[in-house]
């Protein structure tokens, strides 16, 4: 039996801006799956129907919400129908454990102009830098911190 079947807090939603970070999101997803996490990535979902309902459902049922942030990945968040914006809002509204993954050179202070409403709180969440030159080390840190967080949540239950 996999670890994700034993621990409901082991479920993770991965959000990303397709054009800027889909490759990185896929590598993160693969690593998390190989480490026993139940990670959701929409490009790996074989499901038909309304995407907004599916994404909301997946965010609500998963304890952790990873948002992969590359430079300029928040620019479209000024648009009301932007998928990344909606996913972050749903995660915040459902009190998910939000973990920004800060890819090469991403800086919140340069992106804050694109954050409005509830999204202005995104920089308050502790981000984890992930550099391509140290990708394996960064992924190891992410999995270690997520596993630690899962264990702490189990204790609280």
């Amino acid at each position: 039996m996999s670890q994700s079947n034993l621990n409901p807090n082991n479920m993770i939603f991965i959000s990303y801006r397709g054009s800027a970070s889909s490759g990185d999101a896929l590598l993160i997803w693969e690593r998390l799956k190989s480490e026993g996490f139940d990670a959701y990535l929409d490009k790996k979902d074989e499901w038909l129907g309304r995407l907004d309902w599916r994404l909301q459902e997946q965010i609500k049922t998963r304890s952790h919400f990873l948002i992969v942030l590359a430079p300029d990945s928040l620019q479209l968040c000024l648009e009301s129908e932007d998928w990344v914006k909606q996913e972050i809002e749903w995660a915040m509204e459902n009190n998910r454990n939000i973990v920004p993954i800060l890819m090469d050179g991403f800086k919140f202070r340069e992106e804050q102009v694109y954050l409005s409403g509830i999204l202005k709180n995104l920089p308050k969440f502790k981000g984890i830098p992930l550099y391509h030159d140290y990708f394996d080390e960064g992924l190891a840190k992410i999995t270690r911190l997520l596993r630690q967080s899962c264990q702490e949540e189990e204790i609280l239950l």
Side-chain angles (χ1 to χ4, degrees):
M1 184 177 288
S2 75
Q3 184 177 353
S4 63
N5 291 333
L6 299 173
N7 185 354
N9 295 319
N10 212 24
M11 299 172 70
I12 301 165
F13 184 97
I14 302 171
S15 179
Y16 63 97
R17 172 78 57 208
S19 60
S21 51
S22 65
D24 295 325
L26 183 58
L27 290 172
I28 293 167
W29 176 84
E30 288 172 347
R31 177 64 172 264
L32 292 174
K33 295 290 277 186
S34 74
E35 293 282 338
F37 289 95
D38 181 355
Y40 176 86
L41 185 69
D42 66 343
K43 78 184 327 178
K44 289 295 189 178
D45 189 3
E46 294 181 10
W47 180 84
L48 298 174
R50 284 198 47 176
L51 184 59
D52 58 339
W53 292 352
R54 178 66 171 176
L55 295 176
Q56 283 183 41
E57 171 192 329
Q58 288 297 320
I59 290 168
K60 285 180 184 178
T61 60
R62 295 171 183 278
S63 298
H64 306 284
F65 179 88
L66 272 58
I67 174 71
V68 181
L69 297 171
D72 301 325
S73 61
L74 295 175
Q75 284 184 351
L76 295 176
C77 286
L78 293 174
E79 299 176 16
S80 62
E81 299 298 316
D82 178 60
W83 284 111
V84 170
K85 174 186 177 179
Q86 290 179 62
E87 290 171 359
I88 297 168
E89 288 173 341
W90 294 330
M92 288 180 171
E93 291 165 1
N94 287 281
N95 297 314
R96 302 298 91 186
N97 177 34
I98 298 173
V99 182
I101 305 298
L102 312 175
M103 298 305 299
D104 289 318
F106 178 88
K107 298 199 181 352
F108 272 117
R109 70 176 173 274
E110 295 170 7
E111 304 281 327
Q112 278 189 302
V113 67
Y114 307 118
L115 303 176
S116 62
I118 194 171
L119 264 65
K120 285 186 177 184
N121 292 316
L122 187 59
K124 294 178 182 177
F125 292 89
K126 179 156 177 49
I128 301 174
L130 186 58
Y131 300 96
H132 288 111
D133 289 344
Y134 303 100
F135 209 75
D136 285 338
E137 294 88 345
L139 287 176
K141 180 178 181 178
I142 290 168
T143 56
R144 180 176 47 80
L145 291 173
L146 284 169
R147 190 160 282 117
Q148 180 181 343
S149 177
C150 290
Q151 291 169 351
E152 289 170 2
E153 287 178 24
E154 252 183 8
I155 291 169
L156 294 174
L157 296 175

